[in-house]
Amino acid sequence: MGSYFEKSGDRLQCLVCPHNCRIAEGKTGICGVRKNNGEEIELITYGVISGYSADPVEKKPLYHFFPGYKILSIGSYGCNMRCDFCQNYQISQTVPKSGHDDMPPEEIVSAALRTPKNIGIAFTYNEPTIWFEFIRDVSISARNAGLNTVVVSNGYVNPEPLKEITGFIDAFNIDLKSFNDNSYRTLTGAHLEPVLNSLKIIAGSGKHLEVTSLIIPGHNDNLGEMEKQSEWIAGELGKDVPLHLSRYYPMYKRDDPATSTETLLRLYEKASEKLDFVYMGNLHSGEGQDTKCPSCGTVVTQRSGYSTTLKNIDEGKCTGCGTLIYKYFTFSLAQER
């Protein structure tokens, strides 16, 4: 089952993510789930599920990938980052020895097919790329059943496995946690450049891409940094790539006060100078969640929480001027069953 590793002295080196862990026999890498079994790197969480739920696709968040539909979201355990603000730390920072639920790929696909108005399967909650072999097998089975697949990831993955992942995943939301390497190392124990490389690979693959930045006061709430980030996204990925600015709340080991609405709004306005689609999330109000046509300003989607109302839109195009807003708009697999 193992893949993306090589012999390194008396150890095996995992090549899935940029940590490139050199793992002694019987041990796992930083992620806690990829183990040197003496012959290969084994994924010890193959089929291991921490939870699954039919969510609005907007919750990933994906606002431009079949808006208004649902997606079966599944997760496992482990992560290759050490974010001290992680909202899912119970599953990302631990791997149970026993007592977990196992689901084979065909069972997950069957559950997705039974879910009303469902476009497919999202790999989320913990870091999906360290679950590489399992998401590959589920995704191939899902594609054969006419379903889409989504990865919600921190983007800390090496180019070769990522290029393979883009071959079987249809849409990505990547967390861009900062646009400063010092902050990245402080917040996550990882580096910025590999994440930027991942974003460019995904954009170049033609697969659907959206980006999320959780705004933490004093770390990535600088207007100048947001200007550089939005310029980079516009220039390297495309100004039509949606950017989600999410409000931070105290969680896990971090107790900084929650991001102010005023700070989030300033960053939203700055990013909107360069990007067509910028959104604000984790707010009690619906401010900054609607989609407007970048050509004529017509509101084509109204959102409140995870309630989505499509308006002034026909087959993904703005009815005001005909601009294409949503490339992925209607789903054809008996989704209304």
Side-chain angles (χ1 to χ4, degrees), residues 3-140:
S3 58
Y4 294 109
F5 69 92
E6 64 184 16
K7 185 78 172 173
S8 178
D10 60 349
R11 301 185 178 214
L12 295 180
Q13 186 166 31
C14 180
L15 302 176
V16 167
C17 92
H19 287 303
N20 295 315
C21 296
R22 294 179 65 251
I23 307 171
E25 184 172 350
K27 302 297 184 180
T28 62
I30 287 173
C31 65
V33 304
R34 307 189 69 80
K35 180 180 179 180
N36 178 351
N37 67 11
E39 296 182 357
E40 62 180 6
I41 299 296
E42 174 189 3
L43 175 62
I44 64 174
T45 53
Y46 187 94
V48 175
I49 305 295
S50 62
Y52 70 99
S53 174
D55 293 330
V57 71
E58 286 81 7
K59 194 174 181 179
K60 298 307 96 191
L62 288 173
Y63 279 14
H64 288 235
F65 191 71
F66 300 107
Y69 285 91
K70 290 188 176 181
I71 192 161
L72 184 68
S73 301
I74 65 171
S76 187
Y77 297 90
C79 187
N80 56 355
M81 287 190 179
R82 292 292 179 263
C83 304
D84 62 5
F85 51 86
C86 182
Q87 64 179 359
N88 291 328
Y89 66 91
Q90 298 95 334
I91 62 172
S92 72
Q93 302 304 312
T94 185
V95 181
K97 297 281 191 277
S98 61
H100 50 68
D101 295 324
D102 291 4
M103 289 181 70
E106 57 271 17
E107 187 175 336
I108 293 171
V109 172
S110 179
L113 290 169
R114 293 194 304 269
T115 303
K117 206 175 181 182
N118 180 47
I119 63 164
I121 298 165
F123 304 98
T124 179
Y125 304 142
N126 71 310
E127 175 50 43
T129 59
I130 62 172
W131 211 17
F132 174 85
E133 294 85 356
F134 188 67
I135 70 169
R136 176 194 60 200
D137 294 350
V138 173
S139 296
I140 291 171

Side-chain angles (χ1 to χ4, degrees), residues 50-293:
S50 62
Y52 70 99
S53 174
D55 293 330
V57 71
E58 286 81 7
K59 194 174 181 179
K60 298 307 96 191
L62 288 173
Y63 279 14
H64 288 235
F65 191 71
F66 300 107
Y69 285 91
K70 290 188 176 181
I71 192 161
L72 184 68
S73 301
I74 65 171
S76 187
Y77 297 90
C79 187
N80 56 355
M81 287 190 179
R82 292 292 179 263
C83 304
D84 62 5
F85 51 86
C86 182
Q87 64 179 359
N88 291 328
Y89 66 91
Q90 298 95 334
I91 62 172
S92 72
Q93 302 304 312
T94 185
V95 181
K97 297 281 191 277
S98 61
H100 50 68
D101 295 324
D102 291 4
M103 289 181 70
E106 57 271 17
E107 187 175 336
I108 293 171
V109 172
S110 179
L113 290 169
R114 293 194 304 269
T115 303
K117 206 175 181 182
N118 180 47
I119 63 164
I121 298 165
F123 304 98
T124 179
Y125 304 142
N126 71 310
E127 175 50 43
T129 59
I130 62 172
W131 211 17
F132 174 85
E133 294 85 356
F134 188 67
I135 70 169
R136 176 194 60 200
D137 294 350
V138 173
S139 296
I140 291 171
S141 182
R143 175 168 292 177
N144 291 338
L147 294 167
N148 293 280
T149 51
V150 166
V151 155
V152 181
S153 169
N154 60 32
Y156 208 63
V157 56
N158 280 331
E160 288 310 309
L162 179 57
K163 288 173 184 175
E164 186 172 349
I165 290 170
T166 61
F168 54 74
I169 295 295
D170 300 297
F172 295 78
N173 185 294
I174 301 297
D175 287 330
L176 182 55
K177 299 176 187 290
S178 172
F179 207 67
N180 179 295
D181 190 63
N182 288 333
S183 293
Y184 237 92
R185 283 182 285 140
T186 300
L187 292 170
T188 74
H191 290 275
L192 170 63
E193 194 62 31
V195 180
L196 299 182
N197 289 337
S198 292
L199 286 165
K200 289 190 286 188
I201 289 170
I202 295 167
S205 75
K207 297 304 178 74
H208 183 74
L209 172 64
E210 303 191 23
V211 179
T212 296
S213 291
L214 179 71
I215 303 302
I216 302 177
H219 288 277
N220 60 351
D221 59 348
N222 179 276
L223 278 179
E225 188 174 303
M226 181 53 63
E227 182 175 20
K228 292 178 182 177
Q229 176 175 319
S230 56
E231 284 179 348
W232 185 89
I233 292 173
E236 297 289 345
L237 311 180
K239 66 187 184 73
D240 59 342
V241 169
L243 172 64
H244 302 263
L245 302 179
S246 188
R247 187 184 190 191
Y248 152 86
Y249 289 92
M251 185 65 68
Y252 191 26
K253 297 179 180 180
R254 183 167 290 277
D255 58 3
D256 301 83
T259 312
S260 70
T261 303
E262 293 74 19
T263 294
L264 208 63
L265 183 58
R266 286 197 297 270
L267 295 172
Y268 167 85
E269 291 172 344
K270 177 57 66 176
S272 296
E273 293 174 4
K274 304 294 181 182
L275 301 173
D276 288 343
F277 304 107
V278 182
Y279 301 102
M280 295 191 293
N282 273 359
L283 293 173
H284 297 302
S285 72
E287 189 174 11
Q289 295 183 33
D290 293 349
T291 298
K292 298 178 182 178
C293 174

